Amino acid sequence: MGLTAALKKKTNFFSIDVELTCPEGETLALIGPSGSGKTTIIRMLAGLETPDEGRIVYRDRVFFDSARGVNLSPQKRKLGYVFQDYSLFPHLTLYGNAAFAAQDRKEVDSLLGFFGLKALRDRKPNEVSGGERQRCAVCQALARNPQLLLLDEPFSALDVVTRRLLRNELKKITETRTFPVVYVTHDVTEALFIGNTVLPIVAGSVDREWMERIVAPGNEPGTRARAARATKLALAY
Amino acid sequence: MELLPLYLSAKLAFIATLILIGIAAPLAYLLTNSSWPGKSFVEALVNLPIALPPTVIGFYLLFLLGPKGFVGEGWERLFGGPLLFTFTGIVIASIIYSLPFAIQPIKASFEKIDPRLKENAYVLGLSPAATFFRVIIPNSINGIAAAAILVFLHTMGAFGVVLMVGGSIPGETRVASIAIYEAVESMQYQKAWGLSLAFIPISYSFLLLVNKLTRK
C-alpha cells in the first residue's frame, strides 16, 4: 500500500524519469542538488504539474494514469503540501491560516500549541519570523487532516539553528501519523535525519552513486563540494 | 451653479463603476491566470475601446442600442422601452467604454499575487471559484479599489460616447461634460466655469486616494 509513482516528464534541461514508493507511516526524502528535478517530482505528486507519462497511485486511489487518461486535480488528492516560503495567506492571521481548510477547530488549537504559536495566533504572517511562518505552514497542511503529506524544501530558507529545531518538531509529529510523507531537501544531513528512505535525484533520475560519494566517511566536506561540482558539470553537458 | 448635470454624472459614474467591477474582476482573473483558446482575441476585444475614438464607439453603439439594433430591439421587447437617449442607455455605453480601464489595473494587481497562494489554496481543496473569492480578491482589494476610482473618474469625464448614445436630455442624459460643452457653445461662460471648477477637487482628491491605495 502507501504511495507508488512512476513519473516521466521532459524539462528544458533534462528528462525526469523516476519510480518511487513510500509506505504508510514512513518518510521518503528526495535529495539532490538544486535544479535536479526534485521539486518538479513533488509538484507532480501534488497535481500542480502534469507528467508526460506515468502513474501515481495512493492506497487504492489512482491520482494519475496517463494510459487511462486519469488526472485528479490537486483539490481531489486530499493532501498536505508545505511550500518553501511565502505560501501563507497574507490577509489572514496565523490562526486564520492554520484553520483555512481545517475541519476540526480543536485540532488547529492543538497543532498551534505543539508548534508554540498560540501566543502569535492573531498576528499576520508578515509580523512573525520565517521559522514561525513555516511552523504555521506545517500546521495549515496538517490541520486539514491530509491523507498524504508533501514538503518541498520547507525549511531551506531558514537559519541552521531554526532549521534543526523545526525538523525535530516535524519528525516528532509525523511519527505519530500513519500517512506517508515525502520530503524534498538538498541537505544530506536533513534527508538522513528525516527520511526512513532517501532517494537521491540527479538530473531527473535516481543516482545512488552520487549519494555514496557525498556521504563517504571522512570525505566531508571536500567530497561534498566536489560532488556538487561534478553534478553541476553533468547537468551542463 | 446648476447641480443637476454634476449629480447625473456622479450617478452615472457610480452605477457604471459598480457594475463594471463586478464584470471586470472575474474577466481580469480569466485573462490573468488560465490559457484557453481565443484568449488573446477576447483580450484584444475588451481593450478595443482604448484604441477607438469615443465617437466611433458611440456611433456603433447608436446602432447596436437603437430600436433596430440587436441589443436595443431585445431590450425593448423585454422591458418595453427604448435604450437610446435614456439614462440606462448611457450606463450601458459607459460600461463598454470604460471596461478596459477597469480590466487593466485589476489584472495588474492580480498579477502581483504570488502564484504559490493560488497553488496552496488548490492543494488545500479550494475550487478555482472559492480561491478567487477567498484568496485572490482579499489580496488585491487595494488594486480593485484603485481601479474603481479610475473607472469612476473616467466615466465622470465621458463625453463623446455619452453624447452619441444619450444626446443631451436635461435630468436624463445631460451629464456635466455635455452641459459644459453646451454652455460654452451658447457662450454661458460662467456656467461652464462653475461646472469645470467642480471637477478639479473631485478628480484631484480621488487621484490622491489612488496613489495611496497602490503605494506599497
Side-chain angles (χ1 to χ4, degrees):
Chain A
M1 291 299 269
L3 173 77
T4 58
L7 304 163
K8 281 185 188 178
K9 187 177 175 78
K10 266 206 166 85
T11 71
N12 286 341
F13 306 105
F14 47 77
S15 286
I16 291 172
D17 186 353
V18 288
E19 287 183 22
L20 56 89
T21 56
C22 185
E24 306 276 347
E26 291 210 357
T27 300
L28 169 71
L30 297 182
I31 166 102
S34 302
S36 63
K38 314 178 294 288
T39 291
T40 311
I41 291 170
I42 202 168
R43 285 173 62 82
M44 288 194 278
L45 294 178
L48 295 172
E49 273 182 55
T50 311
D52 296 335
E53 221 187 302
R55 210 171 129 79
I56 306 169
V57 183
Y58 176 55
R59 290 182 186 159
D60 50 358
R61 294 177 68 211
V62 179
F63 282 1
F64 179 82
D65 190 343
S66 55
R68 283 170 44 203
V70 179
N71 186 13
L72 290 192
S73 65
Q75 286 92 338
K76 289 190 182 145
R77 298 191 186 195
K78 210 163 183 321
L79 39 90
Y81 193 103
V82 182
F83 293 78
Q84 191 174 334
D85 206 354
Y86 302 114
S87 64
L88 291 181
F89 304 114
H91 64 296
L92 298 174
T93 60
L94 292 196
Y95 183 83
N97 267 289
F100 191 79
Q103 282 136 7
D104 183 1
R105 301 266 149 175
K106 269 190 208 144
E107 173 74 0
V108 178
D109 286 329
S110 86
L111 280 166
L112 287 175
F114 177 84
F115 283 101
L117 295 173
K118 265 205 169 140
L120 303 171
R121 50 178 285 153
D122 295 325
R123 300 257 189 105
K124 294 273 179 72
N126 65 355
E127 298 165 348
V128 300
S129 71
E132 285 151 356
R133 271 203 294 276
Q134 286 312 83
R135 282 186 173 98
C136 184
V138 176
C139 287
Q140 188 183 56
L142 288 174
R144 76 169 303 213
N145 198 16
Q147 297 181 344
L148 173 65
L149 182 63
L150 308 173
L151 303 102
D152 182 14
E153 308 214 23
F155 310 137
S156 66
L158 307 174
D159 64 89
V160 182
V161 179
T162 316
R163 202 151 76 200
R164 208 165 285 170
L165 271 172
L166 257 74
R167 75 180 177 226
N168 285 339
E169 291 168 10
L170 181 76
K171 189 170 171 138
K172 226 184 259 171
I173 202 154
T174 51
E175 273 170 356
T176 64
R177 309 291 159 122
T178 52
F179 48 70
V181 178
V182 181
Y183 189 99
V184 164
T185 177
H186 60 257
D187 183 331
V188 179
T189 340
E190 194 165 279
L192 292 171
F193 174 80
I194 288 266
N196 301 89
T197 37
V198 175
L199 195 66
I201 310 283
V202 177
S205 311
V206 177
D207 185 348
R208 295 199 184 277
E209 251 177 50
W210 178 85
M211 186 70 184
E212 279 156 24
R213 275 203 309 272
I214 273 191
V215 294
N219 279 337
E220 296 255 21
T223 315
R224 200 160 145 183
R226 265 207 305 284
R229 264 205 301 279
T231 30
K232 249 185 213 154
L233 280 176
L235 283 173
Y237 288 128
Chain B
M1 184 172 77
E2 202 188 342
L3 284 175
L4 191 58
L6 265 182
Y7 163 74
L8 211 54
S9 280
K11 186 176 145 193
L12 170 69
F14 183 74
I15 294 172
T17 302
L18 272 187
I19 300 172
L20 257 174
I21 296 301
I23 299 173
L27 201 54
Y29 189 56
L30 282 179
L31 293 173
T32 315
N33 269 289
S34 44
S35 63
W36 32 276
K39 180 182 160 182
S40 55
F41 290 100
V42 172
E43 190 158 15
L45 187 70
V46 297
N47 282 330
L48 205 54
I50 293 182
L52 289 175
T55 41
V56 171
I57 305 169
F59 181 71
Y60 282 120
L61 286 175
L62 195 60
F63 281 93
L64 198 65
L65 305 184
K68 284 189 182 149
F70 168 67
V71 179
E73 203 184 345
W75 183 274
E76 205 152 343
R77 205 171 296 156
L78 276 175
F79 301 102
L83 271 181
L84 281 188
F85 310 112
T86 64
F87 183 74
T88 313
I90 59 173
V91 168
I92 295 175
S94 301
I95 288 170
I96 293 167
Y97 174 55
S98 294
L99 185 62
F101 296 89
I103 295 226
Q104 293 305 335
I106 295 178
K107 194 166 163 248
S109 70
F110 287 167
E111 276 163 356
K112 265 194 252 165
I113 296 176
D114 194 320
R116 268 171 296 187
L117 295 187
K118 192 180 91 171
E119 291 186 343
N120 196 20
Y122 282 6
V123 290
L124 287 167
L126 254 68
S127 69
T131 304
F132 177 69
F133 288 111
R134 285 184 65 187
V135 176
I136 305 297
I137 294 285
N139 283 299
S140 50
I141 202 73
N142 279 4
I144 292 172
I149 293 172
L150 287 173
V151 164
F152 183 87
L153 292 177
H154 189 246
T155 313
M156 280 283 285
F159 176 72
V161 174
V162 177
L163 187 63
M164 293 291 263
V165 173
S168 172
I169 300 166
E172 181 77 19
T173 62
R174 187 193 282 167
V175 294
S177 55
I178 292 170
I180 292 169
Y181 177 74
E182 287 187 340
V184 173
E185 284 279 274
S186 56
M187 296 205 289
Q188 292 175 282
Y189 291 117
Q190 205 183 352
K191 194 174 160 191
W193 264 114
L195 284 169
S196 299
L197 279 176
F199 270 85
I200 302 286
I202 297 174
S203 301
Y204 187 70
S205 50
F206 275 22
L207 285 178
L208 280 181
L209 199 60
V210 169
N211 276 350
K212 199 174 174 193
L213 285 169
T214 49
R215 199 185 311 136
K216 242 190 182 176

